[in-house]
Amino acid sequence: MADRILVPYDGSPQATEALELAFENFPDAAVIALYVIEIPVGRWAQIVGPELQLPVTERMREYAADVLESASEIATEHGRSLETEIVTGEPDHRIVAQAEEKSADLIVIGSHSQAGVSRLLLGSVAEKVVRRSPVSVLVVR
């Protein structure tokens, strides 16, 4: 059984299903909802200063907090507590890194399939997480 579960959460129906599945199927596990503020690859060149400050606006942080507040409401509905985290960067890399940093032993992620694209079963982020993760990954469709 999983003791610590990381759930990437962006407020989408797939992410909501992943969060609810984590609560319902792992009643004794600590659950962490993670929101990744995506920094597009081309924007990395705009990082300045010795501390490498990422170009993230206060509005982006507020939006992320609002999304995670909805995750906290879902946790309350299930009678569970929820830890939340906001990070910046490329989503697949940050999800894997957070799983390691938080000592998660399972990632539960929603699949974002896109019609007309060759990857019909997994969204690109979910697929990359599955490939890179050092811990087990449960993909919710």
Side-chain angles (χ1 to χ4, degrees):
M1 282 306 255
D3 293 323
R4 291 185 59 77
I5 300 172
L6 180 71
V7 180
Y9 189 80
D10 62 3
S12 68
Q14 297 87 352
T16 299
E17 287 181 35
L19 185 61
E20 290 178 339
L21 184 138
F23 288 140
E24 293 165 4
N25 292 318
F26 302 94
D28 298 325
V31 179
I32 305 158
L34 173 68
Y35 186 93
V36 180
I37 298 173
E38 184 174 5
I39 305 296
V41 176
R43 299 285 296 213
W44 287 105
Q46 296 179 3
I47 298 173
V48 295
E51 296 178 11
L52 299 177
Q53 296 178 353
L54 296 175
V56 176
T57 66
E58 186 59 33
R59 185 187 314 166
M60 294 169 88
R61 291 200 180 280
E62 288 173 4
Y63 177 78
D66 288 345
V67 169
L68 289 176
E69 180 60 32
S70 70
S72 294
E73 291 170 4
I74 293 168
T76 301
E77 291 171 8
H78 285 84
R80 301 286 299 275
S81 62
L82 179 69
E83 181 181 337
T84 60
E85 289 287 329
I86 299 171
V87 296
T88 59
E90 293 179 68
D92 54 307
H93 290 283
R94 296 303 292 150
I95 292 166
V96 171
Q98 282 298 113
E100 291 173 345
E101 288 176 28
K102 295 293 183 179
S103 300
D105 44 18
L106 178 65
I107 298 171
V108 178
I109 187 169
S111 172
H112 293 73
S113 60
Q114 300 174 4
V117 177
S118 62
R119 292 183 177 98
L120 292 176
L121 296 178
L122 290 179
S124 62
V125 172
E127 179 183 8
K128 290 175 186 174
V129 169
V130 168
R131 290 178 189 267
R132 293 185 175 135
S133 178
V135 300
S136 296
V137 179
L138 175 59
V139 179
V140 180
R141 291 183 59 201

